[in-house]
Amino acid sequence: MREQANAVCFIQGRYSWFLTEAFQRTASEKKKGQRKIPLAQQIYENCLDAFVSGVSLGKSPEVDAPQVNIQYAVLEIDEEHHELVEKLYFDRLEDFVYVELMRGLQRGFVPKRCANCGRWFLQTPGASYNYCDRPAPNSEEGKTCREVGSTKNFRAKVLNNEIWAIHQRAYKKYFARTKKGTMTKPDFLAWETKSEGLRDEALSKYERAKTEDEKTAVAEWLREELNRL
C-alpha cells in the first residue's frame, strides 16, 4: 500500500512538471483566429523531447525505460464477430500511467490546467472547460472549481456588459416579488423565459452596434421591455 502511495506522489510531481513545461508557453487548443501548434512541436520547442522516452518525465535527463509487456489475442464479441486486441502487462503503476498518457497525447487528449485550483485534469472528448469538477480549495459551501468558475464568469459578464447588468437588475427585482408574495412563481418563471429571449436579442444587437448612441438605444430598449413584461 505504501509503495502504491509513493508511486502516486511520484506521478503527480513529475507529470505536473512535464505538463507545465510543455504547455505553459503555448495554447494546446485552437481558439478563434489562432493557429494551432502541433503537440509534438510544442514538446520539441520546449526542449522536452528527451523526457518523452521514459516514465520519469522529470527534471533529470536520466529517464526510466517503461517496463511493458505486450501480447495480442483474438477476442470473441459473439459467434460471428471477433476482434484482434492488445494485452498489456505492467509491473509498476507509473509504467501504466506513462503509456496511457502518451497514447492520450497522441490522440489529442491533452490535460488542461484548472483556472481556479491550478491542478491538471482531463476533459470529456468534444468538451472544453477552463475549470475542473473537483472540490474547490477554500470553498465553505463544498462547491467544485467548475461551479466557482461559473459564478466568476457570470459576475464578470454582469460587471463588463451593460446588457447583462440590466437583465440581472430586472431579475432581482422580479424575484424579490415572489419572495414578498406579490408575484406567483409560475408568473415569475414565465417572465424569466421571456426575459432571457429579450436579453439574448439585445446582446446580439449590442454586439452589432457601431456607435455608443446605438448601444445606449439597445440598452434602453431592453430596460423598457423587461419592465413591461
Side-chain angles (χ1 to χ4, degrees), residues 12-29:
Q12 288 177 330
R14 294 299 181 89
Y15 282 65
S16 179
W17 175 86
F18 175 78
L19 292 170
T20 299
E21 291 297 312
F23 304 118
Q24 67 177 345
R25 298 182 183 88
T26 54
S28 59
E29 60 184 49

Side-chain angles (χ1 to χ4, degrees), residues 112 114 117 119-121 132-137 143-146:
K112 194 168 187 177
C114 177
C117 68
R119 294 174 293 187
W120 291 92
F121 69 100
C132 69
D133 58 3
R134 290 173 291 197
K143 292 184 177 181
T144 65
C145 287
R146 195 164 297 167

Side-chain angles (χ1 to χ4, degrees), residues 27-132:
S28 59
E29 60 184 49
K30 185 177 180 181
K31 298 180 181 179
K32 186 176 181 180
Q34 183 181 40
R35 173 179 169 270
K36 183 176 180 180
I37 301 176
L39 173 62
Q41 189 68 22
Q42 292 186 57
I43 294 175
Y44 176 79
E45 290 181 356
N46 287 304
C47 303
L48 296 170
D49 46 307
F51 299 108
V52 173
S53 61
V55 299
S56 70
L57 297 174
K59 298 179 182 180
S60 171
E62 297 179 2
V63 295
D64 305 317
Q67 302 170 21
V68 183
N69 294 317
I70 183 171
Q71 293 180 349
Y72 291 88
V74 175
L75 179 66
E76 181 179 352
I77 307 302
D78 53 45
E79 293 184 357
E80 298 181 355
H81 299 88
H82 298 75
E83 288 187 9
L84 185 64
V85 298
E86 288 182 340
K87 297 172 64 176
L88 299 176
Y89 300 88
F90 304 94
D91 294 326
R92 301 181 300 180
L93 178 62
E94 50 263 47
D95 295 326
F96 167 73
V97 175
Y98 168 78
V99 171
E100 287 301 299
L101 175 66
M102 289 302 160
R103 282 184 164 183
L105 294 180
Q106 276 187 316
R107 291 164 174 78
F109 298 115
V110 180
K112 194 168 187 177
R113 185 187 288 278
C114 177
N116 185 57
C117 68
R119 294 174 293 187
W120 291 92
F121 69 100
L122 289 174
Q123 299 184 96
T124 303
S128 180
Y129 303 105
N130 290 321
Y131 303 91
C132 69

